[in-house]
Every structure is written in structure tokens, then in C-alpha cells.
Amino acid sequence: MAEPEFTATGVRIGKRLRSLTRAGQVRISGGRLELLTSYGSEIDSAPVQAVRASRPWFAPEDRALADLNGNRYLLTLGEHDPAPGEPGPPAARRFIEAVRKAAGHSR
């Protein structure tokens, strides 16, 4: 199995006003974006080309939106990338860049 292009753990994943998991996982691997619970169960997944990732307006820097299969998920990642060797999710900006890169889009 190929190494994932992007992995983030400890991510809060919500849908509308409902929190789906407080310590979930976001993974881009093999051309697919997967949203997983803290136990590894799949919340949703889609080919990266079909995913829209963006920053919500008027939200803190640690938030990102991901539109998959007609559903909009609010992801709370880190505000800043963690120091090397430190635990914590990467910055939301890095997630958005990873989705665009995996889908073959440039800025």
C-alpha cells in the first residue's frame, strides 16, 4: 500500500451543527480523501477530484470546509503546524493545499 499523501489525526469533524467526532482522522491516499472516526470507521470518502476544500469566512484559522458527496463537513485542524516530533493536527491551510495538489490543481 502506498504511503498516504496527507494524514491528520486529532481532527474535530462536524456536519452542520452536529459534531461527528472530536478526535477523527483525515487521510488522502490513492487519490481518495477519507474522513474517519477516532476508531478508524469511515464517516465519508470520495475521489479527491470530486472534493472541494476551502476556508470558511469569518472563522478561526484552524477551520476548513470539505464538500464530499453533497455533504459539507467542518474540520477543525491545528492553527499552526506542530513542531517536529510534537503531536497535533497540521494547519488547515496545509490540508487545503494537499487536496488541491492531489486533485492536480494549482492555486
Side-chain angles (χ1 to χ4, degrees), residues 75-106:
L75 311 176
T76 305
L77 295 111
E79 211 168 302
H80 306 286
D81 286 328
E86 293 291 315
R93 170 187 44 77
R94 224 175 92 212
F95 163 72
I96 295 167
E97 289 170 3
V99 169
R100 289 183 179 152
K101 181 180 173 189
H105 301 300
S106 59

Side-chain angles (χ1 to χ4, degrees), residues 37-58:
T37 66
S38 54
Y39 299 108
S41 302
E42 185 177 290
I43 295 171
D44 206 346
S45 71
V48 178
Q49 289 84 5
V51 174
R52 260 188 57 221
S54 61
R55 283 228 340 98
W57 289 18
F58 307 112

Side-chain angles (χ1 to χ4, degrees), residues 3-91:
E3 192 67 27
E5 293 124 44
F6 178 86
T7 303
T9 56
V11 178
R12 181 182 295 252
I13 302 172
K15 186 174 171 184
R16 299 191 186 250
L17 296 176
R18 192 171 131 226
S19 177
L20 301 174
T21 183
R22 292 174 51 190
Q25 216 179 90
V26 176
R27 185 170 47 207
I28 299 174
S29 178
R32 289 189 72 78
L33 172 70
E34 299 174 312
L35 302 179
L36 308 169
T37 66
S38 54
Y39 299 108
S41 302
E42 185 177 290
I43 295 171
D44 206 346
S45 71
V48 178
Q49 289 84 5
V51 174
R52 260 188 57 221
S54 61
R55 283 228 340 98
W57 289 18
F58 307 112
E61 287 288 315
D62 63 348
R63 306 273 165 84
L65 292 173
D67 293 327
L68 285 81
N69 303 321
N71 297 311
R72 177 170 284 176
Y73 296 95
L74 178 64
L75 311 176
T76 305
L77 295 111
E79 211 168 302
H80 306 286
D81 286 328
E86 293 291 315

